[in-house]
């Protein structure tokens, strides 16, 4: 009887071993298909910049010194030329070449032309909306800051040119700040004009009194945005009463950045509470379902970047890395005709419409300001 029991136990043990081995073999291809490595936030962002700039090389029009873009997502089948009429689109494209500027003379020419075209060559042509003008000015400043670290023979502008550029940015700053912006656009304008104003003060274009006015007006825009979109006590962003997950992430990131730039902890604490909302709505793998809100229909790499940076800042590194990993690799490079094109799309659609994710670059530049390039993140990469 004892021998029979022992035999049965042995058989069960062998069966468990066989099943375990079989399960391992089934799972092994997936388990062994990825490895993890720690990279800097700077290198993470460079991956997206360098891929998308390869796409921009395909669409650059030498005659017009400009890039082609898809028009807004509600008319996806048409294409138009974004030339000097849109400083934001020009500077967004140029900024994607940031990591190539020091070593590539062609990249320096493209960036130089974009900055000149949106300032000196078309000085009288200002942006039509404050937040778009603020983004264009901010990206110009960020490229100038990067250029300032280069050897003199690789600088883009001489002293006179740079002075003219900064003078034009100053004029647009004081035109843009009083412009009426609403909802998240007011927050965007507040943050990007604040940073632009601080740079202009540093370079002697604004005096202390003028910069104080910039700070006051930027704060007014931030407060207006909060009043319009965060009226309820649940820390959820709403437009006319409707929740939007994507713009909730944008608003959260803007409040964190404003609090950081202006040294206003109360805005950072609000961002912390709003980050908790983002995390509560994320799935286990980090997926953020835009359909929870009323617009847009998808959340792109910029959304996951912001969600990751927010969590990184608030010391939730595990959650941050889930967001970073979700958007890394090929997930947002799905356009088979243009495999280097960074796009956002409805991830639930069986035949999604692809849209250029141009705002990735201005959000990424804020992330680099926040962490000064050095934040390490663990990324699962294909071998």
């Amino acid at each position: 009887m004892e021998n029979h029991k022992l035999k049965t136990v042995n058989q069960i043990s062998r069966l468990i071993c066989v099943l375990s081995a079989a399960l391992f073999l089934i799972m092994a291809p997936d388990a062994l298909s990825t490895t993890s490595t720690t990279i800097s936030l700077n290198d993470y962002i460079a991956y997206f910049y360098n891929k998308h700039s390869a796409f921009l090389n395909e669409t650059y029009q030498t005659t017009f010194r400009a890039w082609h873009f898809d028009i807004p997502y509600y008319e996806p089948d048409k294409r138009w030329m974004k030339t000097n009429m849109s400083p934001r689109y020009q500077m967004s494209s140029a900024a994607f070449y940031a990591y190539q500027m020091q070593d590539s003379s062609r990249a320096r020419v493209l960036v130089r032309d974009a900055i000149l075209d949106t300032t000196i060559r078309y000085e009288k042509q200002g942006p039509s909306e404050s937040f778009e003008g603020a983004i264009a000015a901010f990206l110009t400043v960020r490229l100038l800051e990067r250029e300032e670290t280069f050897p003199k023979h690789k600088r883009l502008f001489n002293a006179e040119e740079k002075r003219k550029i900064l003078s034009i940015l100053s004029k647009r700053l004081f035109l843009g700040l009083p412009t009426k912006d609403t909802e998240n656009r007011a927050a965007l304008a507040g943050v990007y004009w604040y940073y632009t104003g601080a740079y202009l003060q540093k370079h002697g274009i604004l005096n202390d009194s003028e910069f104080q006015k910039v700070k006051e007006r930027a704060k007014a825009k931030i407060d207006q945005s909060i009043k319009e979109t965060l009226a309820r006590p649940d820390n959820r962003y709403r437009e006319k009463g409707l929740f939007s997950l994507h713009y909730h992430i944008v608003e959260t990131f803007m409040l964190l950045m404003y609090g950081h730039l202006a040294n206003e902890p109360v805005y950072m604490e609000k961002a912390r509470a709003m980050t908790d909302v983002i995390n509560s709505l994320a799935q286990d793998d980090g997926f953020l379902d835009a359909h929870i809100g009323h617009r847009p229909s998808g959340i792109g790499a910029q959304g996951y970047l912001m969600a990751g940076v927010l969590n990184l800042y608030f010391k939730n590194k595990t959650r941050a890395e889930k967001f970073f990993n979700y958007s890394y690799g090929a997930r947002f490079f799905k356009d088979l005709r243009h495999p280097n094109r960074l796009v956002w799309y409805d991830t639930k659609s069986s035949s999604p419409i692809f849209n250029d994710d141009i705002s990735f670059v201005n959000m990424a530049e804020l992330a680099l300001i926040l962490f000064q390039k050095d934040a390490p993140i663990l990324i699962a990469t294909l071998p």
Side-chain angles (χ1 to χ4, degrees):
M1 186 69 174
E2 292 295 324
N3 288 338
H4 177 70
K5 287 183 178 179
L6 182 60
K7 184 177 180 181
T8 301
V9 169
N10 289 338
Q11 287 175 335
I12 292 172
S13 298
R14 284 197 297 271
L15 180 60
I16 291 172
C17 290
V18 170
L19 290 173
S20 298
L23 184 61
F24 174 80
L25 290 173
I26 291 170
M27 296 179 64
D30 289 334
L32 299 177
S33 64
T34 60
T35 57
S36 293
T37 185
T38 298
I39 64 174
S40 68
L41 181 64
N42 186 59
D43 289 343
Y44 179 88
I45 289 170
Y47 166 78
F48 290 93
Y49 278 34
N50 291 335
K51 277 187 72 69
H52 191 65
S53 63
F55 160 70
L56 291 171
N57 287 339
E58 301 171 21
T59 65
Y60 187 75
Q61 303 293 309
T62 306
T63 304
F64 295 96
R65 292 195 302 271
W67 291 269
H68 265 307
F69 288 96
D70 277 354
I71 63 174
Y73 54 87
Y74 46 82
E75 293 185 89
D77 296 327
K78 300 178 183 178
R79 295 186 71 82
W80 66 340
M81 179 70 73
K82 278 283 191 181
T83 57
N84 304 304
M85 294 301 292
S86 176
R88 177 194 174 186
Y89 278 70
Q90 282 280 73
M91 292 314 306
S92 295
S93 297
F96 274 105
Y97 290 86
Y99 288 94
Q100 301 171 42
M101 284 169 58
Q102 184 159 359
D103 297 325
S104 168
S105 58
R106 179 177 182 273
R108 290 196 295 275
V109 169
L110 292 177
V111 171
R112 173 181 163 83
D113 272 343
I115 292 175
L116 289 177
D117 280 349
T118 56
T119 55
I120 294 175
R121 290 174 182 158
Y122 294 87
E123 179 178 355
K124 294 182 180 180
Q125 180 192 322
S128 59
E129 292 185 65
S130 173
F131 84 97
E132 292 205 334
I135 290 172
F138 167 75
L139 291 174
T140 301
V141 164
R142 289 294 291 165
L143 289 168
L144 291 175
E145 286 180 322
R146 190 175 287 262
E147 179 238 22
E148 289 164 5
T149 68
F150 296 169
K152 285 188 177 180
H153 69 281
K154 292 186 177 182
R155 299 283 175 88
L156 302 184
F157 305 103
N158 60 40
E160 182 181 356
E161 288 174 326
K162 189 167 182 179
R163 193 79 181 174
K164 285 182 179 179
I165 291 167
L166 298 189
S167 176
I168 292 167
L169 292 185
S170 177
K171 292 176 184 177
R172 291 183 179 172
L173 168 68
F174 286 106
L175 286 173
L177 278 170
T179 301
K180 181 175 174 56
D181 289 295
T182 58
E183 299 170 336
N184 74 90
R185 293 170 291 277
L188 289 164
V191 168
Y192 291 125
W193 281 134
Y194 187 104
Y195 192 88
T196 300
Y199 179 84
L200 294 173
Q201 184 202 34
K202 177 182 175 182
H203 286 266
I205 304 299
L206 301 184
N207 59 37
D208 290 347
S209 175
E210 289 169 326
F211 184 50
Q212 181 61 34
K213 291 179 181 178
V214 171
K215 291 193 288 186
E216 290 170 0
R217 289 179 175 177
K219 184 178 187 301
K221 282 187 175 291
I222 299 294
D223 290 341
Q224 176 194 346
S225 181
I226 292 173
K227 182 179 179 180
E228 290 179 354
T229 64
L230 293 163
R232 300 185 194 178
D234 60 358
N235 295 308
R236 291 192 175 214
Y237 172 95
R238 290 179 175 86
E239 297 171 339
K240 297 178 175 61
L242 299 175
F243 176 69
S244 166
L245 179 54
H246 171 75
Y247 289 109
H248 176 96
I249 297 169
V250 171
E251 184 82 1
T252 306
F253 193 44
M254 291 305 109
L255 295 187
L256 173 63
M257 286 307 308
Y258 175 74
H260 173 76
L261 295 173
N263 192 25
E264 293 269 12
V266 65
Y267 296 93
M268 301 166 84
E269 285 306 308
K270 185 68 171 177
R272 183 194 296 273
M274 293 173 70
T275 299
D276 290 340
V277 174
I278 297 169
N279 293 342
S280 73
L281 297 174
Q283 296 184 11
D284 289 343
D285 62 352
F287 173 61
L288 295 163
D289 186 359
H291 291 268
I292 293 172
H294 78 112
R295 75 178 186 104
S297 60
I299 291 176
Q302 62 164 295
Y304 290 94
L305 173 69
M306 288 185 283
V309 168
L310 286 163
N311 277 280
L312 203 59
Y313 186 86
F314 292 123
K315 310 300 183 186
N316 191 345
K317 197 165 185 288
T318 300
R319 174 68 74 174
E321 287 171 349
K322 283 190 176 184
F323 290 128
F324 288 133
N325 276 280
Y326 189 86
S327 62
Y328 197 63
R331 188 181 300 277
F332 293 105
F333 294 96
K334 292 289 190 183
D335 186 344
L336 296 180
R337 295 176 304 161
H338 304 287
N340 290 316
R341 180 187 175 204
L342 180 60
V343 297
W344 69 267
Y345 56 95
D346 184 345
T347 49
K348 286 191 170 183
S349 172
S350 58
S351 54
I353 294 168
F354 298 127
N355 308 275
D356 295 299
D357 194 357
I358 63 164
S359 285
F360 180 90
V361 72
N362 45 279
M363 301 306 185
E365 289 301 313
L366 289 177
L368 293 174
I369 291 166
L370 196 62
F371 285 103
Q372 300 298 310
K373 302 181 180 181
D374 295 329
I377 51 179
L378 188 66
I379 295 296
T381 56
L382 295 176

